[in-house]
Amino acid sequence: MLTTRPTFVFFLLFLTLPFCSLSQSSNPVYNSFLKCFSDKTKTSQAQNVFSQSNSSYSSVLRAYIRNARFNTSTTPKPTLIITPRSDKHVSAAVLCAKPLNFVFKIRSGGHDYDGLSYVADRPFFVLDLSNLRKVTVDIADQSAWISAGATLGEVYYRIREKSRVHGFPAGVCPTVGVGGHLSGGGYGNLLRKFGLTVDNLIDAKIVDVNGRILDRKSMGEDLFWAISGGGGGSFGVVLGYKVKLVPVPSIVTVFRVETFIESGAVDMVHKWQSVGPKTDRNLFLRMLLQPVTRNRVQTVRATAVALFLGRAEDVVSLLSKELPELALKKENCTEMTWYQSALWWDNRLNATQIDPKVFLDRNLDSSRFLKRKSDYVATEIPRDGIESLFRKMIEIGRVGLVFNPYGGKMAEIAEDATPLPHRKMLYKIQYSVNWQESSPEIESGLLNQSRVLHSFMAEFVSKNPRRAYLNYRDVDIGVNDHGPNSYEQGEVYGRMYFGKNFDRLVKIKTAVDPGNFFRNEQSIPTLPSKA
């Protein structure tokens, strides 16, 4: 299995990659693309196409890089960045890029943990969708059309403008771009009540490899199914989705409660496994595990973080019966509106007092060094397994875990209803490590820590295949160089992300993009040639 991005040798590279010393107008690749782009859109488009010599190039590139590991002087840079402002611009960009034979990367928000939407080892373009950010909310229809470059924070704010009793089941980070989040499945703290984001889709628009702008009817149910959790970047450029809004109470409850090994964390986390995925579906009870030093002693902090679609007294009563080990009290809880709970989950202090418009801030050019990995748990980890996990986390040092409970609505949906099959799991694990220092030694050490803990967990998690979550992109589990062994390479990570649904995704990919124009290091491959 490949564990890093492949590297390639390029001949005549000077013919395809512009030098920063060249002016933008003397770059033949830029000129060729811009002429085509302007001809197809019937207007001059220089303001939407950036070569490396453009004075705005660096700021446009950095604006939506969210992982500082891929924002260094040695990180490969795109030859061109295209920033379309309409659906027709996207169509023109696809048609004009195809004959130039560059890898075509598609970026909506940049919350792409391993940078596959804006880094490549071959000459590449980036199509940055951040200008396509329209959100149209129709409360009468209880739906919304959302452009791919909008952020989740913008979606939540636009819903709030129209209603305090409607929400949408998506992620808790407001700067995530809709295009990647929804096409990759998407989940958040409403999933036990309403399922994944893609369980609430009505329609979509996409630009295919031939530049056609298609809706659900014209693209057909196979392609609509594929971009409802199979990753849009394998099949075309997703322009946006029409989604169902969901009802939420006028008052919801949130809480955060910490405990440590020495105060019963092992028993609490062990018991959580039989409660979190099985309790009232109005309750999403996440568990955060983090190795820390407390009173000069190394320990593990277990933090329960919750959203309850109801009042505080009801969730306190519920958990006093089902999870007394948590010792939840009413004073631990805060009641607020659903939108305010979204602010609270984003770690905004005084969520009931803060200006709601903060979710319109995209926090441009803000990133930290990080690595994420994922797993799924199908059967409860025994108590001694939790004990051994805590010891291993202390031994390793920095890597934290996030346990996200499933059950409820998730368990009622068929595994092939969308490309993401992980419906019957008890919970999903995210491995998480962040750092501030720009140091190759620190980075190498922490990446190794995440791999060591992931390896340690093998006996406790899903098997045959070991499962992974597409939106936690992780190149450690395999990459594709799209050479003669493309299908075999794609099957390695594809089975982990999609299970048996991988086969249908490959057939759809082969039908809609037989030349494999839309590709990245973990995209869906085409069927192998029979020649």
Side-chain angles (χ1 to χ4, degrees), residues 132-190:
L132 303 181
R133 60 176 70 177
K134 188 175 182 181
V135 179
T136 304
V137 175
D138 184 343
I139 289 299
D141 188 45
Q142 298 190 78
S143 69
W145 264 108
I146 309 171
S147 297
T151 66
L152 295 183
E154 289 167 345
V155 173
Y156 298 157
Y157 183 80
R158 298 307 172 195
I159 294 172
R160 177 193 174 275
E161 283 185 318
K162 299 292 184 70
S163 171
R164 305 301 170 90
V165 291
H166 286 84
F168 184 63
V172 300
C173 184
T175 55
V176 168
V178 163
H181 186 68
L182 270 67
S183 69
Y187 86 101
N189 54 23
L190 294 177

Side-chain angles (χ1 to χ4, degrees), residues 468-487:
Y469 177 49
L470 180 67
N471 272 354
Y472 295 168
R473 290 287 195 181
D474 178 10
V475 297
D476 290 347
I477 68 174
V479 292
N480 200 327
D481 63 13
H482 300 287
N485 298 317
S486 175
Y487 177 83

Side-chain angles (χ1 to χ4, degrees), residues 25-141:
S25 61
S26 63
N27 178 348
V29 173
Y30 170 81
N31 288 334
S32 176
F33 180 87
L34 183 62
K35 182 179 187 307
C36 175
F37 194 49
S38 297
D39 287 348
K40 289 189 180 299
T41 56
K42 308 302 183 186
T43 57
S44 174
Q45 292 296 330
Q47 73 275 17
N48 295 319
V49 183
F50 302 84
S51 75
Q52 293 184 359
S53 59
N54 188 297
S55 59
S56 299
Y57 173 92
S58 293
S59 61
V60 172
L61 176 62
R62 290 198 316 264
Y64 294 95
I65 292 177
R66 302 298 189 185
N67 189 342
R69 290 172 53 210
F70 308 115
N71 190 19
T72 70
S73 60
T74 58
T75 303
K77 306 295 191 297
T79 302
L80 298 180
I81 306 170
I82 307 105
T83 58
R85 295 179 182 274
S86 72
D87 296 353
K88 290 183 178 179
H89 288 178
V90 176
S91 176
V94 169
L95 292 173
C96 294
K98 280 173 63 180
L100 296 176
N101 199 31
F102 280 67
V103 174
F104 193 74
K105 297 278 185 165
I106 306 163
R107 180 172 76 173
S108 61
H111 282 261
D112 172 359
Y113 286 146
D114 272 347
L116 304 191
S117 61
Y118 53 87
V119 179
D121 286 315
R122 291 177 174 177
F124 68 107
F125 296 165
V126 166
L127 184 72
D128 186 302
L129 301 177
S130 59
N131 290 324
L132 303 181
R133 60 176 70 177
K134 188 175 182 181
V135 179
T136 304
V137 175
D138 184 343
I139 289 299
D141 188 45

Side-chain angles (χ1 to χ4, degrees), residues 181-216:
H181 186 68
L182 270 67
S183 69
Y187 86 101
N189 54 23
L190 294 177
L191 93 165
R192 301 192 65 252
K193 180 74 170 182
F194 299 108
L196 300 173
T197 55
V198 291
D199 298 326
N200 297 273
L201 300 185
I202 300 171
D203 203 345
K205 288 197 298 180
I206 189 171
V207 172
D208 74 357
V209 71
N210 298 311
R212 297 178 299 174
I213 299 173
L214 306 173
D215 62 9
R216 180 173 183 172

Side-chain angles (χ1 to χ4, degrees), residues 426-501:
L426 290 178
Y427 56 98
K428 174 172 60 184
I429 298 177
Q430 181 186 84
Y431 300 74
S432 174
V433 61
N434 304 322
W435 63 99
Q436 299 297 328
E437 310 89 343
S438 179
S439 162
E441 293 77 19
I442 292 174
E443 177 173 321
S444 176
L446 292 176
L447 293 179
N448 184 63
Q449 284 189 24
S450 71
R451 292 165 185 151
V452 169
L453 188 57
H454 186 261
S455 178
F456 170 82
M457 289 294 289
E459 68 175 294
F460 302 121
V461 298
S462 59
K463 301 173 179 63
N464 302 316
R466 186 173 184 174
R467 299 176 182 232
Y469 177 49
L470 180 67
N471 272 354
Y472 295 168
R473 290 287 195 181
D474 178 10
V475 297
D476 290 347
I477 68 174
V479 292
N480 200 327
D481 63 13
H482 300 287
N485 298 317
S486 175
Y487 177 83
E488 290 79 9
Q489 291 174 348
E491 192 173 23
V492 174
Y493 56 80
R495 295 291 179 195
M496 296 181 73
Y497 288 139
F498 305 113
K500 294 179 181 178
N501 293 335

Side-chain angles (χ1 to χ4, degrees), residues 14 17-28 51-54:
F14 64 91
L17 284 178
F19 294 99
C20 291
S21 60
L22 293 176
S23 71
Q24 184 155 284
S25 61
S26 63
N27 178 348
S51 75
Q52 293 184 359
S53 59
N54 188 297

